[in-house]
C-alpha cells in the first residue's frame, strides 16, 4: 500500500516555521532542506576538487622527483582507500584536532577524494596536448607557468570536460555518504523521515528523484558548455 500523501509536505509546506513564528508562509520541507544542503556540499566540493586536481595534475608532470612522488602518493592513497573510511578519519581524527564542523569535515573529505581523480584527468588532458606547443610558448619568452596557464591548460580543459562531468556526477552521488557523520543532507533527511513514517519506498524514490535532478542538470550544463566551446574552436 502506497502512502504518497505525506511526500509533498516533506518538500514544501504552508504554515508557521516554529512556535514563535506568527506569520504563516511557504517553507521548505525536510527533504528540500536536505536537497539544498547536498547541493551546497556538492558545489563547494566540486570547486575545491578542481583546484586540488589542477595542482595535482601539474605536479604529476613535474620534472622534480619529490613533487612528482608526493602527487603520485596522494593519488594512490586516496584512490585505493574507501571514501567512507576517509570521511571517518577526517571527521573523527583530523576534525577533532582542528575542531572542524561536520559540514567542513564532510566537504573536505569529498574535495580531497574527488581531487585525486580530477588530478589524473587533468594529467591525461595535459599529456594529450602536443609537446611542440609548450616548446613554442617557451620560445616566445613565456615561463613554464605562463605557458601552462595561457596555452596548455585552456586546451586541456576543453578535452577533459566529459570525464570531469562524469566525476562530478559521481561526487554528487557519493555525497550521500556524509550522512554517516550526522550531516543533515538529503540522504540523512530521508533516513530520518523513513524512521518516523515507515514509508520507505515512497521516501527513497523521492530522494532518488531529487538526486536525479541534480545529476541530470549537471549533465545538461556540461553538454551545453561542450557545444559552446566546440563552436568557439
Amino acid at each position: 500500500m502506497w502512502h504518497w500523501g505525506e511526500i509533498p509536505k516533506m518538500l514544501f509546506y504552508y504554515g508557521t516555521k516554529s512556535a514563535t513564528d506568527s506569520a504563516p508562509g511557504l517553507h521548505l520541507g525536510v527533504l528540500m532542506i536536505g536537497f539544498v544542503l547536498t547541493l551546497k556540499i556538492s558545489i563547494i566540493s566540486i570547486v575545491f576538487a578542481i583546484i586540488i586536481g589542477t595542482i595535482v595534475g601539474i605536479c604529476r608532470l613535474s620534472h622534480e622527483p619529490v613533487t612528482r612522488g608526493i602527487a603520485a602518493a596522494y593519488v594512490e592513497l586516496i584512490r585505493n582507500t574507501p571514501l567512507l573510511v576517509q570521511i571517518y578519519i577526517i571527521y573523527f581524527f583530523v576534525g577533532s584536532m582542528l575542531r572542524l564542523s561536520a559540514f567542513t569535515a564532510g566537504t573536505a573529505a569529498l574535495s580531497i577524494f574527488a581531487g585525486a581523480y580530477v588530478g589524473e584527468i587533468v594529467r591525461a588532458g595535459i599529456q594529450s596536448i602536443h609537446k611542440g606547443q609548450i616548446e613554442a610558448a617557451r620560445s616566445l619568452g613565456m615561463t613554464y607557468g605562463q605557458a601552462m596557464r595561457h596555452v596548455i591548460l585552456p586546451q586541456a580543459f576543453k578535452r577533459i570536460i566529459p570525464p570531469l562531468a562524469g566525476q562530478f556526477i559521481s561526487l554528487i552521488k557519493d555525497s550521500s555518504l556524509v550522512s554517516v557523520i550526522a550531516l543533515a543532507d538529503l540522504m540523512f533527511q530521508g533516513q530520518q523521515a523513513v524512521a518516523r513514517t515507515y514509508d520507505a519506498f515512497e521516501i527513497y524514490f523521492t530522494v532518488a528523484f531529487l538526486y536525479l535532478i541534480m545529476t541530470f542538470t549537471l549533465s545538461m550544463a556540461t553538454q551545453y558548455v561542450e557545444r559552446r566551446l566546440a563552436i568557439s574552436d
Side-chain angles (χ1 to χ4, degrees):
M1 189 69 180
W2 297 96
H3 297 92
W4 289 98
E6 293 298 317
I7 299 299
K9 298 176 188 174
M10 296 180 187
L11 300 175
F12 299 97
Y13 70 92
Y14 185 81
T16 56
K17 205 169 184 178
S18 63
T20 57
D21 186 7
S22 58
L26 187 63
H27 302 289
L28 298 179
V30 290
L31 293 184
M32 285 308 296
I33 291 173
F35 177 87
V36 171
L37 185 62
T38 294
L39 197 58
K40 189 176 175 182
I41 293 171
S42 300
I43 291 173
I44 295 173
S45 300
I46 286 172
V47 171
F48 279 102
I50 291 174
I51 296 171
I52 295 171
T54 303
I55 295 171
V56 170
I58 294 173
C59 289
R60 290 275 280 144
L61 299 173
S62 172
H63 297 299
E64 294 292 332
V66 176
T67 304
R68 195 169 60 246
I70 292 173
Y74 161 73
V75 170
E76 295 303 326
L77 176 67
I78 297 300
R79 286 201 309 185
N80 293 298
T81 53
L83 173 58
L84 187 59
V85 175
Q86 295 169 23
I87 292 172
Y88 280 134
I89 291 174
I90 291 177
Y91 180 64
F92 289 110
F93 182 65
V94 181
S96 61
M97 287 195 301
L98 301 179
R99 298 182 182 278
L100 300 179
S101 65
F103 179 85
T104 304
T107 305
L110 289 172
S111 302
I112 293 170
F113 179 76
Y117 289 88
V118 173
E120 287 299 273
I121 294 171
V122 170
R123 178 185 61 79
I126 293 173
Q127 286 181 320
S128 71
I129 306 299
H130 195 277
K131 289 182 179 177
Q133 296 209 28
I134 194 164
E135 291 170 358
R138 296 299 299 273
S139 67
L140 292 174
M142 292 186 184
T143 63
Y144 181 78
Q146 289 173 330
M148 290 297 291
R149 192 165 63 253
H150 298 297
V151 178
I152 303 301
L153 285 178
Q155 297 182 75
F157 270 112
K158 284 185 181 180
R159 296 186 180 184
I160 65 177
I161 285 176
L164 274 183
Q167 182 57 45
F168 294 149
I169 287 171
S170 293
L171 186 149
I172 292 173
K173 293 184 289 184
D174 289 341
S175 70
S176 62
L177 290 175
V178 299
S179 62
V180 298
I181 55 175
L183 193 56
D185 71 328
L186 178 55
M187 190 65 195
F188 182 86
Q189 296 284 14
Q191 290 171 334
Q192 296 297 306
V194 169
R196 287 195 305 272
T197 63
Y198 299 103
D199 295 332
F201 290 108
E202 296 88 336
I203 292 171
Y204 283 133
F205 275 131
T206 306
V207 167
F209 180 71
L210 292 175
Y211 275 109
L212 177 64
I213 290 174
M214 285 187 275
T215 55
F216 184 72
T217 303
L218 177 59
S219 179
M220 291 297 102
T222 52
Q223 287 182 28
Y224 174 77
V225 172
E226 271 189 86
R227 286 196 298 272
R228 297 294 299 175
L229 291 176
I231 293 171
S232 65
D233 286 339

